[in-house]
Amino acid sequence: MNTSGHAAADVRDDSTGLRLAPFRGLRYVPERVGSLAAVTSPPYDVVVRPDGLLHLESADPHNIVRLILPQALTAGTRHRKAAVTLDRWLADGVLAPDPVPALYVYEQRGDGILQRGIIGALELSAPEAGVVLPHEDVMPHVVEDRADLMRTTAANLEPLLLTYVGEEGGGADAVIERAAEREPLLSTTTEDGFCHRLWAVTDPAEQAAVAADLGRHQALIADGHHRWATYLRLREEHVAPGPWNRGLVLLVDTARYPLRVRAIHRLLNRLPVADALAAVEGSFRVRRLDGPLPAALEALAAAAAAAADGNAFLLAGDGAFHLLDRPDPALLDRAIRTDRPEAWRTLDATVLHSALLEHVLRVPDAPEDIAYIHDTEAAVAQAERRGGTAVLMHPVREEVVRDLARQGVTMPRKSTSFGPKPATGLVLRSLALD
């Protein structure tokens, strides 16, 4: 449970906190699909394309990936295809709206984790309001793509993952725990072994209790920075109050249900490992590791834990692993901006992008040159297949993320991967129904 210090840091005046509203969720009709597990997907940016995309498309003809990652030659065609598909599934009864507006309690259980939170339509706010705290920068081309998809489908297709630090005995937690004792709307186990359950909270008194509790808290974006930026962009396009002033989110009290924080790895598509190693000579200490991936990751963790040695990375893609650590202090002095807190200046992601990629490897900051991959084995496999270089990262601690976010300091893009992430496809939000 949370400490009083954490609770005090998160509590706000109830007029300036989170404002979560019920909505009529769109959900798959079980009788119209092979199974609920077969139509779900990880979030759009976790799907490892093309392998993961093809696997999901073949799992069921109605898999949600056809909406979140539609396939066509141009962006406009892709997004129109998603809108047509969504309309057809609604007309055919594959998806159907729930009868009344609800908040949804969502549970994930697996791999030693129990996580519960509440899904709703959250009122949007700018970062300077301090209600929803981003901690990472975003890539404009991704925001543009997500905005066009959301604009064309007029739907929030997958919830963002937000965290807050609740107080013991808070109203939202009480509602969540009571709901979890009831029969769920749905229960399914996905191929990763996680069991997912969903309950609808339709009682006005329970909805009011959740609203009163959350109205006293701020939230950290754990996963979904690009979709949050998309929400804000689309709100600017629809000035009048209405459904575009809210966005679909999952809120998790991490005082009660701590999340796991993992790294997001980089794939340098056009840079062979041999060229990378030649370039870093003299800027980092380099050690070759011939052991399997788990042993290499243990060596990375040990190097990252040695504070005196500074930052550490693993390069992979040539059948071996190469541990980079002890960056040249002169390089860091030249490359890292000085107008940020020390906690930001020493982040692995900061050193990676500002020093290693920009100054040493000279890798352009462009999607064709740098890909972001959550799964470690997939990053290594793709680097070997493409003749590129995988840069494997060590995760940053959640308290560092939250402290920087409260200072208004954003981390380099794709610095963290919080989880477990909500499965996409269990509940959607149509803006036409609000």
Side-chain angles (χ1 to χ4, degrees), residues 21-73:
F23 67 102
R24 290 181 65 193
L26 287 183
R27 295 190 296 111
Y28 280 99
V29 177
E31 294 78 14
R32 298 303 307 274
V33 297
S35 73
L36 288 175
V39 295
T40 64
S41 163
Y44 79 97
D45 57 338
V46 180
V47 176
V48 180
R49 291 183 266 186
D51 300 349
L53 182 64
L54 294 174
H55 173 71
L56 290 166
E57 286 183 330
S58 62
D60 189 283
H62 301 107
N63 189 282
I64 193 68
V65 79
R66 287 179 166 79
L67 300 184
I68 63 172
L69 288 173
Q71 298 301 293
L73 292 178

Side-chain angles (χ1 to χ4, degrees), residues 192-206:
D192 59 3
F194 271 80
C195 177
H196 307 261
R197 298 199 295 171
L198 194 76
W199 296 263
V201 176
T202 58
D203 181 80
E206 290 195 320

Side-chain angles (χ1 to χ4, degrees), residues 145-169:
D145 178 77
R146 292 294 100 183
D148 192 37
L149 175 63
M150 204 175 296
R151 189 186 299 116
T152 306
T153 59
N156 298 159
L157 301 173
E158 45 188 340
L160 284 64
L161 175 59
L162 273 60
T163 71
Y164 68 101
V165 181
E167 302 166 284
E168 188 168 359

